[in-house]
Amino acid sequence: MNRILRIVRYIVSNKLTFTFFLLGLVIFFFIVVPLGKMLISSAEEPALFWTTVLDREVAAAIWLTLYTALIATIVGFIFGIPLAYFLARHEFFGKKLVEGLINVPIVIPHTAAGIALLFVFGRSFAVGRAFGSIGISFVDSTAGIVIAMLFVSVPFLIDSAKEGFKKVDVRLERVARTLGASPWQVFTHISFPLAKQSIVAGNIMMWARGISEFGAVIILAYHPMTAPILLFQRFEAFGLDHARPIAAILIIVSVLIFVILRMLVSRR
Amino acid sequence: MIEIRSLSVELGAFTLHNICLNINRSEYFIVLGPTGAGKTVLLESIAGVQPIKTGQIWLEGEDITGMKPEERKVSIVYQDYMLFPHYSVRNNILFGLKMRGYNPQDMAISLSKVVQLLSIEQLLSRKPNTLSGGEKQKVALARAIVTNPEVLLLDEPLGALDPQTRENVGQEILKLHEELGITVLHVTHDFEEAITMGDRIAVIGEGEIKQIGTTTDIFRKPNSEFVARFTMTGNIFSGLAMKERHGKTAFNLNGTKLIADTNLEGPCHASIRPEDILISSDTIANDGDNHFMGVITRFVNKGAIINVTVNLPPPVTCLLTRRTFEEMRLSIGQQVHLTFSPSSLHLF
């Protein structure tokens, strides 16, 4: 109690801190109130909530969302980490442009991203046709969901990993080389372990962003339905009351995963 | 042992050009130069972790210029240790042995040898972030020598340490050099460190070697104003040298004639170390060479030593121990006598 009073007294005594505290409080409640209100109003109708929890279509959509986002994250890891390391360690003409282009998926409307992907992976286009010949279609398929999620969320992983690698002093790598390590050994024994925190954080961000993706996924793959699309479909077809429990479940699952992973990372 | 032939390195706007060095086996060689002179780049080029533009590096008669860093028998120790923060001290030291594929038995023998040599047995299970600066540097040294390199590159190894620890770690490095007979290339910006530790010194500045010589050569006979200033010669003058009499040269400094034991003639520089000048309140008996009177204009208190500036003119800096200074009871504006031997005056 005394501690809280001390903090309050400190905040009030410093005008800058007090002003920033008030302004910060506004945005904090802006984030928390809608989420809390929805969870509370879902809890007010427990029967509908439990029916939704037990709805197979809802469970399938949530499971599909989680594992497609996970596959996208794994693919992003395999191709994104080398790029992040390359960007962190090398200077070259046009590097800023490359870095900017990598972040484009974050800033463009995700429906536009979905259309752009269709132009490459659609059935009438070269890459889509090539994959189609080996039985992989990106339209209305799990593969389509994965590439939509990958496209919009991989910049988070690349940026985070790049910053992590940049924080690893290049002289640590140089010392390791003089001690007998090959470039691969330097990467696996020094650079990667030391950047691990940022890489894991990037992976969590990418997975979380993939789970929440709607715009790009709906363009490429309306079916099979991921949770955000099912939520949209229920809202369109049955209204707010039927959409709310799905939204509540999605928020609970996402927050739980996010908190657990964050705890695991910080414990390391 | 190490031969560097016309080495040039380009690093952004910085260039290291036409570096030529010959370092003997088991020699303790110092590269002395100011910050930004290219000392670290030189070491990293020898280690193979900095790409070079032109030139060759030879080690024990073998051209290692194109060799990968892990294939050269060269270890580097940086000023700020560069210990792997995620490994214990033990694993830091063992890193090189593991990478080079030593078997566990040989690793244990090598580990035990270096930890005894550096007296760091008690640190083995600790993480680098729990060590003091001196301990970190000892661990970095242990890690560097455990793989038995032929050359140890030290990049300002004492630069981040407090004076007491500097002394201890400096002694440890000299002990390692003596016991292992390893060739050491040590770069520093600290002249005293260079003088006390090195067999020979190369002075580097603006990306090039300015002078190479024994510690005495560099200390007594700087070949340029850059070297003279960097080696804290203190008194550097420009003037005209003319033959005086047999084996002597008169250096004319705006009418003041200084006598030197050389044969140099023409426009040149003269330098004399402050500690070579004798200062007295009374007349000094000598043969007449280099005997001047001047007025004290400034004192600089450096603890055990006092710098006294006397205007002849030109202003000349002399050194006095604190005890002598107190006994002489000198004051600003006082007239004093200065003298120095012709052999102390260096013309270049």
Side-chain angles (χ1 to χ4, degrees):
Chain A
M1 192 62 192
N2 275 346
R3 199 174 163 203
I4 294 169
L5 274 175
R6 250 201 330 270
I7 293 169
V8 170
R9 238 179 262 139
Y10 171 75
I11 290 171
V12 173
S13 67
N14 185 323
K15 280 182 187 166
L16 179 84
T17 310
F18 186 60
T19 311
F20 282 13
F21 176 76
L22 284 181
L23 292 171
L25 214 56
V26 172
I27 202 73
F28 176 74
F29 282 121
F30 174 74
I31 294 167
V32 168
V33 169
L35 297 173
K37 180 82 171 49
M38 190 171 57
L39 292 176
I40 290 164
S41 54
S42 293
E44 282 166 356
E45 291 182 62
L48 183 60
F49 182 78
W50 286 113
T51 310
T52 312
V53 168
L54 299 172
D55 183 338
R56 280 190 174 181
E57 197 181 4
V58 173
I62 288 175
W63 172 241
L64 177 70
T65 310
L66 293 179
Y67 93 76
T68 46
L70 185 63
I71 294 170
T73 306
I74 292 167
V75 175
F77 179 86
I78 293 167
F79 294 100
I81 297 299
L83 177 59
Y85 186 68
F86 183 84
L87 290 172
R89 282 289 174 265
H90 299 281
E91 294 301 322
F92 54 90
F93 178 75
K95 182 178 170 182
K96 290 271 172 224
L97 179 68
V98 171
E99 287 174 329
L101 286 172
I102 288 167
N103 282 318
V104 165
I106 296 174
V107 296
I108 60 169
H110 286 181
T111 40
I115 301 283
L117 285 170
L118 260 186
F119 268 95
V120 177
F121 295 97
R123 288 180 191 121
S124 2
F125 299 95
V127 179
R129 268 204 306 274
F131 276 98
S133 66
I134 54 167
I136 299 172
S137 166
F138 293 100
V139 179
D140 283 337
S141 69
T142 306
I145 298 169
V146 169
I147 60 155
M149 287 177 171
L150 176 66
F151 187 79
V152 297
S153 59
V154 77
F156 291 98
L157 172 61
I158 295 171
D159 273 355
S160 182
K162 185 179 73 183
E163 292 310 312
F165 285 128
K166 273 186 182 173
K167 283 183 202 153
V168 179
D169 195 316
V170 74
R171 290 174 303 164
L172 287 169
E173 298 178 350
R174 288 177 179 166
V175 167
R177 287 297 302 277
T178 64
L179 291 172
S182 68
W184 279 103
Q185 286 172 318
V186 170
F187 182 78
T188 53
H189 289 78
I190 307 295
S191 322
F192 187 85
L194 289 176
K196 194 169 63 185
Q197 195 92 350
S198 302
I199 293 169
V200 174
N203 275 309
I204 294 173
M205 280 301 294
M206 185 179 171
W207 193 30
R209 186 64 198 81
I211 288 169
S212 63
E213 181 49 27
F214 172 78
V217 174
I218 201 168
I219 300 286
L220 265 121
Y222 190 86
H223 290 284
M225 272 190 201
T226 59
I229 293 174
L230 181 68
L231 172 68
F232 174 72
Q233 188 256 346
R234 293 276 170 103
F235 178 69
E236 285 279 286
F238 306 107
L240 187 62
D241 286 347
H242 285 80
R244 194 174 52 208
I246 303 177
I249 293 165
L250 251 184
I251 289 169
I252 291 167
V253 170
S254 302
V255 169
L256 271 178
I257 290 170
F258 198 70
V259 168
I260 290 167
L261 287 176
R262 275 278 175 200
M263 278 168 64
L264 285 175
V265 173
S266 58
R267 195 174 291 174
R268 287 170 190 206
Chain B
M1 169 73 183
I2 313 178
E3 194 184 343
I4 297 166
R5 299 177 185 169
S6 307
L7 179 79
S8 293
V9 181
E10 262 183 19
L11 202 65
F14 176 78
T15 318
L16 196 65
H17 44 91
N18 199 27
I19 302 292
C20 296
L21 281 179
N22 270 300
I23 301 166
N24 303 320
R25 183 181 295 137
S26 299
E27 188 173 19
Y28 200 111
F29 194 89
I30 300 269
V31 174
L32 175 69
T35 306
K39 304 185 297 289
T40 303
V41 175
L42 174 63
L43 288 196
E44 289 184 339
S45 304
I46 296 169
V49 292
Q50 193 67 257
I52 66 170
K53 191 181 162 200
T54 55
Q56 290 180 326
I57 301 164
W58 289 69
L59 178 62
E60 287 288 4
E62 186 183 8
D63 184 0
I64 61 164
T65 317
M67 228 180 232
K68 292 173 186 168
E70 59 269 32
E71 290 166 354
R72 303 178 183 204
K73 290 180 177 170
V74 173
S75 286
I76 190 164
V77 174
Y78 284 104
Q79 174 179 0
D80 34 7
Y81 331 115
M82 288 297 128
L83 296 177
F84 306 133
H86 54 311
Y87 288 153
S88 65
V89 167
R90 181 192 308 278
N91 286 332
N92 261 281
I93 298 172
L94 289 177
F95 183 85
L97 301 177
K98 285 179 183 166
M99 293 301 116
R100 292 183 191 277
Y102 280 52
N103 66 47
Q105 232 173 355
D106 290 344
M107 279 202 273
I109 294 167
S110 300
L111 176 72
S112 140
K113 213 162 76 180
V114 292
V115 297
Q116 272 175 29
L117 195 60
L118 285 150
S119 313
I120 51 171
E121 295 93 335
Q122 73 288 2
L123 306 178
L124 285 178
S125 54
R126 285 167 62 181
K127 279 281 182 77
N129 62 357
T130 67
L131 305 178
S132 68
E135 289 170 337
K136 283 180 187 172
Q137 200 55 294
K138 282 187 183 183
V139 174
L141 284 166
R143 183 181 63 178
I145 60 167
V146 76
T147 52
N148 289 321
E150 285 174 1
V151 182
L152 181 60
L153 306 173
L154 303 176
D155 183 13
E156 307 247 12
L158 311 178
L161 305 174
D162 62 74
Q164 175 104 36
T165 316
R166 276 171 75 95
E167 180 87 26
N168 294 340
V169 176
Q171 290 304 318
E172 290 286 351
I173 293 173
L174 289 175
K175 192 177 89 180
L176 279 184
H177 172 245
E178 203 177 301
E179 290 192 16
L180 302 176
I182 193 169
T183 308
V184 177
L185 178 52
H186 172 148
V187 307
T188 180
H189 65 270
D190 188 318
F191 178 57
E192 281 179 25
E193 191 177 306
I195 286 284
T196 51
M197 296 184 79
D199 296 326
R200 281 194 304 148
I201 299 174
V203 182
I204 188 171
E206 297 148 341
E208 60 184 21
I209 300 278
K210 301 286 188 184
Q211 186 176 355
I212 301 174
T214 61
T215 49
T216 310
D217 285 343
I218 302 290
F219 190 75
R220 288 277 168 212
K221 297 170 184 168
N223 67 357
S224 63
E225 197 177 342
F226 178 90
V227 176
R229 288 199 189 286
F230 199 72
T231 53
M232 298 191 292
T233 303
N235 301 309
I236 305 161
F237 313 107
S238 297
L240 187 68
M242 286 182 297
K243 207 157 217 159
E244 171 77 359
R245 52 183 189 270
H246 183 67
K248 304 259 185 198
T249 296
F251 181 77
N252 193 330
L253 179 62
N254 299 328
T256 306
K257 199 166 84 175
L258 312 179
I259 303 297
D261 274 348
T262 57
N263 291 317
L264 197 70
E265 282 184 278
C268 63
H269 289 92
S271 71
I272 180 157
R273 299 200 68 86
E275 59 271 25
D276 288 343
I277 302 172
L278 186 64
I279 180 168
S280 170
S281 314
D282 308 316
T283 309
I284 304 166
N286 71 354
D287 63 1
D289 281 346
N290 299 331
H291 181 197
F292 307 97
M293 280 174 72
V295 174
I296 295 175
T297 57
R298 191 170 175 233
F299 298 127
V300 178
N301 187 345
K302 294 197 164 180
I305 298 288
I306 311 290
N307 280 7
V308 181
T309 305
V310 178
N311 196 13
L312 299 182
V316 172
T317 304
C318 325
L319 293 187
L320 286 177
T321 62
R322 173 165 290 279
R323 188 180 175 86
T324 311
F325 176 75
E326 284 167 358
E327 282 173 2
M328 287 178 77
R329 297 173 184 230
L330 298 174
S331 58
I332 303 286
Q334 184 181 340
Q335 198 164 59
V336 287
H337 299 263
L338 300 185
T339 189
F340 53 86
S341 150
S343 62
S344 303
L345 187 69
H346 173 60
L347 303 187
F348 56 95

